[in-house]
Amino acid sequence: MYLPLLTLLFVLVSASPHVPLVDQTASDRTFDSRVPVQLGVMSKCPDALLCESTFNEVLGKVGDKMDLSLVYVAKFDESEPDFGGIICKHGAEECAGNVQQLCIAKYASPDQWWNFVQCQNFEGTAQIGKPSVALKCAEAAQIDWNASGAGQCAGEDGSGKEDEGVDLLRKSVRLAHDLEVTKSCTIIINSRRVCVHDGTWKECEGGHTVNDFVRQINDEYDRLNSFRG
Ligand SMILES: *[C@@H]1O[C@H](CO)[C@@H](O)[C@H](O)[C@H]1NC(C)=O
């Protein structure tokens, strides 16, 4: 009476798929969820440069666990004709710098994008947004300005005034509004605002050193991928 049932049970148990114990190494991080990290910035803002330089070091330590992006803080003002009704705090050249960075983010690799931003920053806040600097930094980051698509997006002359790039800027500024990011620089790790640098570090409950950000990203990474046991 019980035999067929026991047999069936045995068959089911032995047929159940063997679940391998995954040895978590860097190489299988490809399958993991990376931690989204956003920096709310303005391209010509000294606070943004400071955050970006801090995150250059963070990337060196946990770059393979995170997806970094920049979100641009600016104001909507429909009377501004050149940048689709966007006013940038540090002037039109800042809007141009934002557009150049957004277009590079869209049309180049993440590494090239980051090298491009670092190159502009290295030139200094007074230079960021200038067409000649954008073209020079694209070359330094090994991006073909025209062939990559970045040129059509941000203007082949580097002006940052082409429709596609201006549209990316409007969307990014809208996102910053939606995230209630008003200060450059605001650091958001996995949708949580963890720190602001506005003249000085502010509201940084978990700390503001490179290692503090690394720790918070590691913690979020482990939480996001905890199904692996
Ligand atoms: C991109 O194309 C424009 C228009 O054809 C040209 O004037 C410019 O020199 C090119 N720029 C680069 C960096 O290749």
Side-chain angles (χ1 to χ4, degrees):
M1 192 69 177
Y2 290 108
L3 199 59
L5 188 60
L6 279 175
T7 308
L8 179 65
L9 200 62
F10 178 76
V11 167
L12 281 176
V13 167
S14 51
S16 74
H18 174 64
V19 181
L21 289 170
V22 177
D23 177 26
Q24 184 81 17
T25 61
S27 62
D28 31 70
R29 288 202 185 122
T30 356
F31 304 107
D32 287 2
S33 307
R34 287 170 174 238
V35 180
V37 177
Q38 292 153 313
L39 304 181
V41 295
M42 304 185 278
S43 62
K44 285 169 82 76
C45 171
D47 297 287
L49 268 62
L50 191 139
C51 273
E52 286 158 3
S53 132
T54 301
F55 269 77
N56 194 43
E57 291 183 57
V58 174
L59 277 173
K61 297 189 181 214
V62 285
D64 59 346
K65 293 184 174 181
M66 60 192 275
D67 273 328
L68 183 64
S69 59
L70 298 179
V71 182
Y72 295 90
V73 178
K75 289 204 162 80
F76 284 95
D77 178 344
E78 295 309 326
S79 67
E80 163 59 52
D82 277 349
F83 291 98
I86 301 287
I87 296 273
C88 296
K89 187 175 172 189
H90 302 87
E93 211 166 68
E94 176 164 83
C95 284
N98 297 352
V99 167
Q100 292 155 0
Q101 294 180 0
L102 283 162
C103 287
I104 292 289
K106 180 170 177 182
Y107 287 102
S109 74
D111 282 350
Q112 287 174 318
W113 160 70
W114 189 247
N115 289 339
F116 178 82
V117 173
Q118 293 289 308
C119 170
Q120 284 182 318
N121 291 355
F122 183 76
E123 295 293 319
T125 50
Q127 300 299 313
I128 297 168
K130 291 196 192 315
S132 60
V133 171
L135 298 177
K136 178 183 151 186
C137 285
E139 203 178 333
Q142 295 183 303
I143 301 156
D144 187 323
W145 185 256
N146 286 344
S148 65
Q152 282 88 326
C153 174
E156 288 189 334
D157 59 357
S159 68
K161 290 180 185 169
E162 279 298 325
D163 288 350
E164 184 185 358
V166 168
D167 192 49
L168 291 177
L169 178 61
R170 287 180 59 89
K171 288 195 172 111
S172 184
V173 172
R174 176 71 59 204
L175 176 63
H177 279 234
D178 291 348
L179 294 170
E180 293 173 11
V181 169
T182 56
K183 295 265 164 56
S184 164
C185 164
T186 300
I187 299 167
I188 300 174
I189 297 178
N190 202 19
S191 305
R192 208 161 49 86
R193 180 187 319 213
V194 300
C195 194
V196 171
H197 193 280
D198 182 22
T200 60
W201 292 109
K202 294 172 180 172
E203 303 160 38
C204 307
E205 215 175 284
H208 55 71
T209 66
V210 169
N211 284 338
D212 290 326
F213 297 126
V214 166
R215 187 191 66 251
Q216 292 176 83
I217 289 164
N218 273 324
D219 288 350
E220 286 301 321
Y221 180 86
D222 291 344
R223 203 164 302 150
L224 278 175
N225 296 289
S226 58
F227 63 91
R228 281 173 176 268

